[in-house]
């Protein structure tokens, strides 16, 4: 008997399962058919699945087209169109290049199905594809500009405003905004006209908004653009932006921004701090005339500043020195206005002391301001390789002035603890400098924490620390200890050499740098485990440790001839003397190899990596390790090893000369006779 016309015999496949042979009743709802198929394979949530042709069409089976199924058709159980559309929509937004590529390929094949297409479009998928195309277009534009054939100044204002609009949009794909900010970052240093245009269109507030997102790459691009704008700006323009605007980049303890600690330690934060502190440079280098400026300030600022007349009781040469110049006067005014009770206490305490025992307010303020300028490097060029990072700087609007207010009270406190007189002024300020530097080395996260710690480090604690360090130094300088150090050096240097080679085997990600400061192209270099071949090659962004097999280029270690550093490198000979190029020179090194003397050129990401790589390459060349890091590591290892070996000698003085050998005994007849022991 032939089967009814509304029943077709078909096969249904699923990966990893035995196919099912069923009779599909066309009158039965498709949802019920899927439920039966999923139950047969013990699959829950049948609504998440759908049937699909196995041929090249990959068309989904729906209630509208199920009548086209013929006897003998082979179908496949797969994820439903809405689930697949959601997965691919997320996939094309992934930062993983492989995931994005696979998602786009599958999207191209599934988009011919009207059911899937409708689901994908409903998720705003077309807009996302537009962003992907735009991102590739912007990336291609960056690559073309990298060749320096076309000047940035030839770009039209309309084009630049379009790029800026991508940065300013709220609902914009992150990859497009990252590329747009990279374009603007490279554009800003090229000319004053472009800087003015970008500064007008992209506000600091907008960049601060980008720093509040959770996308780390977007945060870094925003920071890079902000730093480029600050570097290109004049002092007056930086003053307009001011510390209150930029100090909120890294508020500490309030949790307002989602910036991780690793972003705090980027060179951008160090540059920002240096640029803002250097706003004080002009006042620091301007000398003051106390006989005109002090009284002018006193009369114009009200009675609260009248006490500043104490300045006139100090030697004129102290008042007219520059630096710290007018910056010292600014700090005194800030101290009297914002902490009037502390200021009054300082003046009253010292006015009631005996002659020569009072702590001079003006002279102390001038010297303290100079000390703070030296510690914080005010007026020095900002370096992209700086390492002195102070987290508390970013949590305060007027950091320098507030730090002064804390430290000037510390001067008065230390003065009392030392029972100092006018003759002890320099000694007191030396102790204060030590208190400040020791506390800053602890990296306090806020000024309040700094204040607590610096006040706890009183004069008696400083004396104890000095004595401990002096005893330690005397101990380590003893002749037997020095001999032990020399005996330990070869063993520890070999340990450092092995560590350097191990670091080269792990490899490092380098950036290609051109004259336009582009740093988007990445390449990786690593040493083979047998230390015989250097492998290197280009990698995509996001790849941090590629396998050695994926690096196509090779240099046999036996072919390496020499190591060049700094200005000796061929890729740095054309560099100008600008600060940025100077920083690159400090991190550049090259390997000369083969009989033709080809060069493989590097620019290390950090000074630390530069030291590790130059040391490791010198080891491969059979030469001595010459970086400053080698000496630092050797000192640390020697100190640790000596402490371990001298643990049993604690509190025992080590003589400079060995003890004398005792005289032999009068006779050697002191052997015990065991023959009597048995009795």
């Amino acid at each position: 008997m032939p089967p009814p016309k509304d029943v077709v015999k078909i096969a249904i496949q699923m990966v990893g399962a035995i196919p099912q042979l069923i009779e599909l009743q066309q009158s039965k709802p498709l949802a019920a058919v899927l439920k039966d198929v999923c139950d047969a394979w013990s699959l829950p949530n049948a609504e998440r699945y759908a049937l699909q042709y196995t041929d090249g069409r990959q068309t989904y089976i729906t209630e509208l087209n199920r009548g086209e199924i013929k006897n003998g058709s082979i179908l496949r159980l797969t994820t439903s169109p809405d689930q697949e559309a959601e997965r691919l929509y997320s996939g094309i937004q992934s930062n993983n290049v492989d995931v994005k590529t696979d998602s786009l390929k599958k999207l191209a094949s599934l988009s011919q199905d009207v059911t899937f297409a409708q689901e994908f479009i409903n998720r705003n998928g077309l807009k996302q594809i537009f962003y992907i195309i735009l991102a590739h277009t912007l990336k291609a534009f960056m690559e073309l500009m990298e060749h320096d054939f076309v000047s940035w100044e030839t770009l039209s204002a309309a084009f630049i405003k379009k790029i800026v609009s991508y940065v300013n949009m709220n609902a914009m794909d992150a990859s497009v905004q990252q590329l747009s900010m990279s374009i603007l970052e490279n554009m800003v240093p090229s000319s004053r006209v472009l800087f003015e245009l970008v500064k007008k269109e992209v506000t600091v507030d907008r960049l601060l908004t980008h720093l509040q997102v959770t996308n780390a790459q977007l945060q870094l691009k925003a920071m890079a653009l902000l730093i480029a704008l600050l570097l290109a700006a004049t002092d007056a323009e930086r003053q307009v932006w001011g510390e209150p605007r930029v100090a909120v980049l890294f508020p500490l303890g309030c949790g307002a921004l989602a910036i991780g600690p690793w972003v705090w330690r980027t060179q951008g934060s160090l540059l920002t701090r240096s640029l803002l502190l250097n706003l004080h440079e002009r006042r620091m280098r301007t000398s003051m005339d106390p006989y005109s400026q002090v009284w002018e300030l006193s009369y114009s600022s009200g009675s609260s500043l009248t006490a500043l007349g104490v300045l006139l009781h100090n030697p004129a040469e102290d008042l007219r020195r520059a630096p710290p110049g007018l910056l010292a006067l600014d700090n005194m005014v800030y101290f009297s206005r914002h902490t009037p009770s502390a200021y009054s206490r300082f003046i009253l305490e010292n006015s009631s002391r005996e002659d020569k025992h009072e702590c001079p307010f003006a002279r102390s303020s001038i010297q303290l301001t100079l000390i703070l300028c030296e510690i914080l490097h005010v007026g020095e060029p900002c370096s992209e390789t700086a390492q002195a990072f102070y987290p508390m700087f970013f949590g305060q609007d007027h950091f320098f002035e507030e730090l002064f207010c804390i430290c000037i009270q510390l001067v008065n406190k230390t003065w009392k603890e030392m029972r100092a007189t006018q003759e002890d002024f320099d000694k007191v300020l030396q102790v204060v400098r030590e208190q400040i530097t020791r506390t800053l080395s602890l990296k306090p996260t806020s000024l309040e924490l700094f204040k607590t710690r610096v006040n706890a480090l009183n004069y008696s604690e400083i004396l104890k620390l000095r004595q401990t360090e002096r005893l330690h130094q005397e101990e380590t300088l003893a002749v037997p200890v020095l001999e032990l150090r020399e005996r330990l050096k070869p063993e520890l240097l070999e340990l450092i050499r092995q560590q350097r080679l191990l670091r080269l085997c792990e490899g490092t990600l380098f950036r290609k740098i051109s004259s336009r400061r582009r740093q988007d192209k990445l390449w990786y270099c690593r040493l083979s485990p047998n230390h015989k071949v250097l492998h290197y090659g280009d990698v995509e962004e996001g790849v941090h440790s590629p396998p050695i097999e994926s690096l196509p280029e090779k240099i046999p270690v036996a072919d390496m001839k020499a190591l060049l550093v700094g200005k000796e490198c061929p890729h740095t000979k054309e560099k100008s003397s600008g600060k940025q190029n100077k920083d690159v020179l400090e991190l550049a090194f090259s390997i000369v190899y083969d009989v033709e003397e080809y060069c493989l050129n590097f620019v290390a990401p950090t000074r630390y990596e530069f030291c590790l790589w130059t040391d490791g390459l010198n080891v491969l060349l059979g030469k001595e390790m010459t970086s400053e890091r080698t000496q630092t590591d050797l000192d640390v290892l020697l100190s640790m090893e000596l402490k371990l070996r001298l643990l049993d000698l604690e509190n025992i003085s080590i003589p400079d000369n060995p003890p004398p050998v005792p005289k032999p005994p009068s006779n050697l007849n002191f052997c015990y006779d065991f023959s009597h022991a048995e009795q």
Side-chain angles (χ1 to χ4, degrees):
M1 180 177 177
K5 292 183 179 181
D6 61 344
V7 175
V8 289
K9 295 183 178 181
I10 60 173
I12 301 179
Q13 298 176 343
M14 187 180 72
V15 178
I18 300 174
Q20 298 182 38
L21 299 175
I22 68 170
E23 292 185 353
L24 176 61
Q25 298 181 16
Q26 295 287 26
S27 59
K28 189 175 183 179
L30 192 58
V33 174
L34 285 169
K35 180 73 167 59
D36 294 339
V37 172
C38 290
D39 288 345
W41 276 321
S42 301
L43 297 174
N45 304 319
E47 67 276 4
R48 297 184 179 180
Y49 295 92
L51 294 175
Q52 191 180 50
Y53 286 110
T54 57
D55 56 16
R57 292 178 296 169
Q58 291 189 346
T59 305
Y60 284 99
I61 305 299
T62 65
E63 293 288 357
L64 296 177
N65 63 12
R66 63 184 296 180
E68 300 174 7
I69 302 175
K70 307 297 183 183
N71 276 317
S73 297
I74 301 177
L75 305 181
R76 175 175 55 239
L77 185 69
T78 184
T79 52
S80 61
D82 60 328
Q83 295 288 321
E84 192 67 24
E86 185 65 32
R87 187 180 72 83
L88 294 183
Y89 181 77
S90 300
I92 63 176
Q93 299 179 77
S94 173
N95 292 326
N96 188 306
V97 177
D98 294 333
V99 173
K100 179 176 284 190
T101 302
D102 292 341
S103 299
L104 287 170
K105 287 180 180 178
K106 190 160 188 180
L107 177 63
S109 62
L110 286 179
S111 295
Q112 59 185 324
D113 181 78
V114 64
T115 307
F116 171 83
Q118 187 63 46
E119 292 287 346
F120 188 77
I121 292 172
N122 289 343
R123 285 167 173 75
N124 213 11
L126 286 178
K127 189 173 183 180
Q128 192 61 42
I129 292 176
F130 165 75
Y131 289 152
I132 294 173
I133 296 172
L134 180 58
H136 282 287
T137 303
L138 293 176
K139 188 172 183 180
F141 172 77
M142 287 286 289
E143 297 293 339
L144 292 172
M145 295 299 293
E146 173 71 16
H147 298 295
D148 293 339
F149 294 140
V150 180
S151 171
W152 289 97
E153 297 180 30
T154 60
L155 301 178
S156 67
F159 174 80
I160 297 172
K161 289 182 179 180
K162 190 65 177 176
I163 297 296
V164 169
S165 69
Y166 299 145
V167 176
N168 291 335
M169 283 185 186
N170 292 323
M172 173 56 71
D173 184 71
S175 61
V176 174
Q177 290 187 322
Q178 291 174 32
L179 286 164
S180 299
M181 283 189 277
S182 292
I183 292 173
L184 297 178
E185 178 203 353
N186 286 273
M187 188 184 301
V188 164
S190 61
S191 78
R192 183 68 187 179
V193 175
L194 292 177
F195 163 75
E196 292 288 351
L197 181 57
V198 175
K199 185 191 72 171
K200 178 181 177 183
E201 298 293 335
V202 181
T203 63
V204 175
D205 292 334
R206 184 58 190 164
L207 292 178
L208 296 181
T209 301
H210 285 303
L211 288 168
Q212 300 180 44
V213 301
T214 56
N215 187 319
Q217 289 299 321
L218 191 59
Q219 288 177 337
L220 290 177
K221 294 297 182 184
M223 172 62 77
L225 178 54
L226 179 58
I227 294 303
L229 288 168
L230 285 171
L231 286 171
T234 63
D235 288 342
E237 289 167 334
R238 292 172 192 161
Q239 191 73 54
V240 171
W241 288 338
E243 294 184 12
R245 300 285 300 283
V246 186
V248 297
L249 284 170
F250 304 96
L252 300 165
C254 62
L257 303 186
I259 300 178
W262 67 275
V263 179
W264 289 2
R265 299 187 180 275
T266 61
Q267 298 304 320
S269 61
L270 296 171
L271 282 169
T272 304
R273 190 207 69 196
S274 181
L275 287 166
L276 293 178
L277 284 175
N278 283 348
L279 295 176
H280 300 290
E281 181 180 5
R282 184 180 62 82
R283 300 285 289 178
M284 179 187 73
R285 300 197 184 282
T286 304
S287 59
M288 63 177 175
D289 180 4
Y291 297 96
S292 62
Q293 288 168 322
V294 171
W295 289 115
E296 180 181 345
L297 276 170
S298 299
Y299 285 118
S300 63
S301 303
S303 58
S304 63
L305 289 180
T306 306
L308 283 178
V310 296
L311 283 169
L312 298 178
H313 298 289
N314 291 273
E317 58 269 18
D318 284 342
L319 298 170
R320 286 195 287 267
R321 63 185 301 177
L326 287 177
L327 183 58
L329 185 59
D330 293 341
N331 285 336
M332 286 185 272
V333 172
Y334 187 92
F335 179 51
S336 65
R337 283 178 176 171
H338 292 80
T339 55
S341 58
Y343 169 74
S344 300
R345 185 165 58 251
F346 189 109
I347 300 299
L348 291 174
E349 283 183 5
N350 287 284
S351 62
S352 61
R353 291 174 184 167
E354 299 177 4
D355 291 342
K356 294 187 177 181
H357 283 272
E358 69 274 8
C359 178
F361 174 62
R363 187 181 178 193
S364 300
S365 299
I366 292 169
Q367 190 63 29
L368 176 61
T369 303
L370 182 60
I371 289 173
L372 293 178
C373 289
E374 291 173 352
I375 293 175
L376 299 175
H377 307 288
V378 176
E380 297 181 15
C382 49
S383 172
E384 292 183 355
T385 58
Q387 298 297 323
F389 176 78
Y390 304 121
M392 65 179 183
F393 169 80
F394 297 103
Q396 184 66 45
D397 287 351
H398 301 282
F399 168 77
F400 191 83
E401 293 85 350
E402 292 290 341
L403 183 63
F404 172 85
C405 292
I406 294 172
C407 294
I408 192 62
Q409 296 176 71
L410 176 68
V411 171
N412 191 40
K413 175 176 174 289
T414 305
W415 187 279
K416 288 189 292 184
E417 291 171 352
M418 295 177 66
R419 298 178 181 178
T421 63
Q422 297 291 336
E423 288 76 14
D424 301 320
F425 180 83
D426 291 336
K427 294 180 182 179
V428 174
L429 269 295
Q430 287 176 3
V431 173
V432 170
R433 176 191 283 270
E434 189 172 345
Q435 290 171 316
I436 296 171
T437 53
R438 287 182 182 272
T439 305
L440 286 177
S441 67
L442 301 175
K443 299 292 188 295
T445 55
S446 67
L447 278 175
E448 284 300 320
L449 187 57
F450 171 83
K451 182 178 180 180
T452 302
R453 289 182 174 178
V454 80
N455 284 312
L457 192 63
N458 53 36
Y459 178 57
S460 60
E461 288 295 322
I462 291 292
L463 290 179
K464 290 179 183 177
L465 289 171
R466 287 178 174 178
Q467 184 178 12
T468 302
E469 291 171 355
R470 184 171 61 253
L471 290 174
H472 176 71
Q473 185 178 18
E474 290 175 354
E475 180 183 273
T476 56
L477 292 178
V479 175
V481 176
L482 292 176
E483 292 178 357
L484 180 59
R485 282 174 62 93
E486 293 302 316
R487 290 177 57 186
L488 291 173
K489 270 187 181 180
E491 177 185 346
L492 297 179
L493 281 172
E494 180 59 28
L495 182 63
I496 294 173
R497 279 191 284 268
Q498 294 301 320
Q499 188 271 338
R500 298 298 194 258
L501 293 177
L502 181 62
R503 185 67 186 87
L504 264 61
C505 291
E506 293 175 358
T508 300
L509 192 66
F510 296 94
R511 293 185 180 272
K512 296 182 179 180
I513 298 183
S514 72
S515 58
R516 292 291 182 183
R517 297 179 62 242
R518 275 288 313 282
Q519 301 183 10
D520 292 334
K521 291 185 178 180
L522 305 174
W523 67 290
Y524 203 86
C525 186
R526 67 192 308 173
L527 180 65
S528 61
N530 60 6
H531 303 168
K532 292 185 177 181
V533 180
L534 273 176
H535 298 259
Y536 65 96
D538 294 343
V539 295
E540 295 292 333
E541 190 168 356
V543 178
H544 299 291
S545 183
I548 201 167
E549 298 81 9
S550 65
L551 303 175
E553 305 294 335
K554 300 178 182 179
I555 297 178
V557 172
D559 291 345
M560 290 168 47
K561 305 299 181 185
L563 173 67
L564 306 177
V565 297
K567 293 183 179 180
E568 300 173 351
C569 301
H571 61 304
T572 61
K573 289 183 178 179
E574 302 298 326
K575 295 289 184 183
S576 63
S577 59
K579 187 193 73 63
Q580 294 169 355
N581 290 327
K582 182 181 177 182
D583 291 339
V584 171
L585 287 176
E586 293 176 354
L587 301 176
F589 61 97
S590 300
I591 301 173
V592 181
Y593 64 97
D594 210 348
V595 292
E596 301 291 338
E597 294 193 349
Y598 295 112
C599 285
L600 181 63
N601 301 319
F602 300 76
V603 176
T606 63
R607 185 68 187 178
Y608 176 73
E609 290 289 343
F610 173 86
C611 294
L612 296 187
W613 270 85
T614 52
D615 282 345
L617 293 172
N618 275 323
V619 171
L620 294 176
L621 290 168
K623 298 181 179 180
E624 295 293 327
M625 298 178 291
T626 57
S627 76
E628 68 268 17
R629 189 72 196 182
T630 298
Q631 189 59 48
T632 302
D633 291 346
L634 181 61
D635 290 342
V636 171
L637 292 173
L638 280 172
S639 176
M640 292 174 60
E641 189 68 21
L642 286 172
K643 287 178 180 178
L644 289 173
R645 299 207 179 196
L646 298 177
L647 279 177
D648 295 336
L649 301 177
E650 190 172 357
N651 298 323
I652 298 177
S653 59
I654 302 175
D656 292 337
N657 300 315
V661 179
K663 295 180 179 180
S666 58
N667 67 75
L668 302 176
N669 244 348
F670 46 81
C671 181
Y672 183 76
D673 187 2
F674 286 94
S675 61
H676 303 289
E678 297 179 358
Q679 300 177 1

